[in-house]
Amino acid sequence: MSQATGSHFLLETRGVSKDLGAFVVAARFSPDGRAVGFALGDGTVRIAHLGDLSDWRSTTVHDGAVLAFAPDAAGNGFVSGGDDGTLRRVATDGTVSEISRFGGKWVEHVATYTIDRTRGLIAASAGRLMRLLDQSGGVLKELTHPSTVTGLVFDAKGKRIGASHYNGASLWFVAAKTDTPRQLEWKGSHTAIVIHPEGDAVVTAMQENALHGWKLPDGQHMRMSGYPAKTTSLSFTRNGRWMASSGADAMVLWPFFGGGPMGKAPLELSGGDGIICNQVACHPKEELVAGGFADGLVVASDIASSRVLPVSPPRHGAISTLAWNADGTRLALGTETGFAAIVDFAKH
Amino acid sequence: MADTNVATEGAPGAEPGTQVPVTVLTGYLGAGKTTLLNRILTEQHGRKYAVVINEFGELGVDNDLVVDSDEEVFEMNNGCICCTVRGDLIRIVGGLMKRREKFDGIIIETTGLANPAPVAQTFFVDDTVKAKTRLDAIVTVVDAKHLPARLADSHEAADQIAFADVIVLNKTDLVTPEELAAVEATIRTINRFAVIHRTERAGVPIEQVLNRGAFDLQRILALHPDFLDGDDDHEHNEDVASVSFEVERPIDPEKFNAWIGVLLQDKGPDLLRTKGILNYANEDRRFAFQAVHMIADGDFIGPWREAEPRVSRLVFIGRNLNRPQLRRGFESCAVD
């Protein structure tokens, strides 16, 4: 982490930014870490190459909006789901190819898992249907859920996929011969999902401004509530000690150690000014979390010390996405009004 | 929500004037809903609409931006049995907002047998939906010939009329003038406050259906000079009816919140829609109140006009309405 202190924003001295003119749905680093893809609400993806940040190439990927975006499972680009019902691959040179079609339904969620340099898994959902594909788009499984899938996530080993939906979540085994999911049940509308890095808990966000969780394997319930707004973003630290969440006027971090989160108060970072935190992203190596707020403010906060590093000023619209690269030296961010930036966190 | 405290400001994050108007089209299969929808979409009005449809019905829908959706209703976990919401609409509105600049409004077509409450409640319950969109009007298309039979065999037909801000009374060419008068009278017993348009082949001017600002209750309430009809009969049956009350003394917001909160808690399942314009004490602006079952919302909607009588009016549409009790309750909210 940078040693910068004071009230200046890292973006001013160590960042590049552009106004892309459309809602930034997601920013993601390519698997080799050399490019950032910004997926936009106008159906284009802008690709910034870190070697030459002067040129952000625009490529049209969907007829409509991009709704879901992830690093490719193998190779070096991205996979993109759109409201045109297609799942497409975008290479870092801007080449677009089709992976799968879902008819008239929106492709709302995409998750990828890299097995090695040439093999990986892609999961994509449209309505109740989730397709599990190999890296070249071959269909491995078609899995149907009781209602529309609202979130998709692989566990850290790529063995299981979690899908959130009404009345809970389904955990599917990637390699299972018969597809019977582990049903994690809790009444209500679940709208996002994460799996603990060690695979021993699943957490969902709910319509009622609360989180629900299940310890695995016993399925013990966890309730985390008190949010003034809906949680849309959840992120575990690398070691799984903390889970950061959006939906309050601070980054809310629940302890997943020492018996937590049950009966423990969460840690609140960078709060106090009444602005709702929209996005959280835990650093891939350190106990550090980035948070993006509804006024455009982005900060990074050290969890142990609660020290806050200002990253991007409260301008440019509500933060809609945050992403770290794999070694945690860069943070990409985007806003609802089309502002996008890449900030350098490397020690110089 | 079970919590019926009335907000004193707009929805969180709402930016006045930037909210996308949403029109909900309800009506039984065959009533002419899709015909009306296609008229709206093909008429040269220079506006673009996103259309959410749930059934590829008798007719295709000819529009650039058609969203195919399953009506997915869920119950909120708030201890309120009638608080059901369309989760698919929350997702669709969120998705559409990402491409915001490309359309002027959203039209949602419901399935024929749909209860309109979950659609309407979605616009009260979800903060994002409230911030980005406003429910412009619920438009119900009814078939003049078959409505009596529909009312006899289902709750949904009456509910669809009860929820309507605008009623398109279609297929008038298939009934006699006497039958038409009778069916219109039937509609009026259910919902005295909706605007009714008599049509053949859903031929209603588009501006009578879209951008109505139907939640500008003042306009609706002003249509009814017979507001106080003095009829204090206790309505005690399963039929949907509508009643209205007027109070001349200013209303105490705290008393009103306390009364309406308990009332909606107790009678929410029977109260399909509640709407009103309130003259709060020491306040120059009109307060608009509305509820669907137990879920309530309210906001100031601009100043009273000069020469406009500052009276508070409240309308209930529902079942088992106890008129004297409702009247006494509303009157007790006046300042001392």
Side-chain angles (χ1 to χ4, degrees), chain A residues 10 20 22 34 75 85 100 109-110 132 134 152 165-166 172 179 196 199 202 230 257 266 275 287 295 307 326 347:
Chain A
L10 215 52
L20 303 182
R34 292 189 193 156
S100 193
H109 298 281
V110 172
L132 180 65
D134 63 23
L152 275 183
H165 43 71
Y166 282 1
W172 303 89
D179 290 316
H196 188 277
V202 170
K230 246 194 301 191
F257 55 89
I275 308 293
E287 285 211 334
D295 60 358
R307 200 164 63 101
K347 285 184 177 132

Side-chain angles (χ1 to χ4, degrees), chain A residues 156-317:
Chain A
K157 293 177 178 166
K159 303 282 189 209
R160 291 175 294 185
I161 321 167
S164 55
H165 43 71
Y166 282 1
N167 300 324
S170 299
L171 264 186
W172 303 89
F173 282 89
V174 170
K177 288 201 177 66
T178 54
D179 290 316
T180 312
R182 167 83 192 268
Q183 297 284 7
L184 301 170
E185 292 178 358
W186 188 258
K187 188 172 162 285
S189 173
H190 301 253
T191 54
I193 184 169
V194 285
I195 299 179
H196 188 277
E198 287 169 7
D200 54 9
V202 170
V203 178
T204 59
M206 296 196 67
Q207 175 70 28
E208 292 87 359
N209 300 352
L211 309 182
H212 196 82
W214 298 264
K215 288 261 185 193
L216 299 177
D218 61 353
Q220 185 191 353
H221 292 280
M222 299 177 253
R223 287 282 287 160
M224 289 155 272
S225 57
Y227 292 86
K230 246 194 301 191
T231 295
T232 52
S233 177
L234 294 167
S235 175
F236 274 103
T237 55
R238 182 185 178 86
N239 55 22
R241 280 169 53 82
W242 297 92
M243 186 193 67
S245 58
S246 69
D249 70 343
M251 294 184 268
V252 175
L253 282 83
W254 295 92
F256 276 67
F257 55 89
M262 285 82 79
K264 306 274 184 189
L267 184 64
E268 297 188 17
L269 296 177
S270 187
D273 54 5
I275 308 293
I276 296 291
C277 175
N278 285 354
Q279 289 288 319
V280 289
C282 288
H283 191 275
K285 297 198 162 157
E286 311 292 333
E287 285 211 334
L288 175 78
V289 58
F293 290 76
D295 60 358
L297 176 71
V298 177
V299 298
S301 185
D302 179 66
I303 296 172
S305 69
S306 297
R307 200 164 63 101
V308 174
L309 173 70
V311 177
S312 188
R315 290 195 285 273
H316 316 299

Side-chain angles (χ1 to χ4, degrees), chain A residues 23 25 41-42 64-65 67 83 105-106 108 128 147-148 150 166 187-189 206-208 230 336, chain B residues 67-68 70 72-77 86-88 90-92 95-99 102 125-126 132:
Chain A
F23 195 115
V25 175
D42 63 3
L67 296 176
D83 66 10
K105 297 276 187 195
W106 291 5
E108 290 183 281
R128 301 172 190 199
S147 62
T148 294
T150 56
Y166 282 1
K187 188 172 162 285
S189 173
M206 296 196 67
Q207 175 70 28
E208 292 87 359
K230 246 194 301 191
E336 292 184 5
Chain B
V67 185
D68 169 24
D70 296 324
E72 293 188 327
V73 175
F74 70 91
E75 256 176 60
M76 292 289 290
N77 282 323
R86 288 266 305 269
D88 59 310
I90 297 174
R91 287 198 320 276
I92 287 167
L96 288 174
M97 287 308 123
K98 290 170 184 163
R99 49 191 290 172
K102 292 179 181 166
V125 159
D126 189 82
K132 306 286 187 189

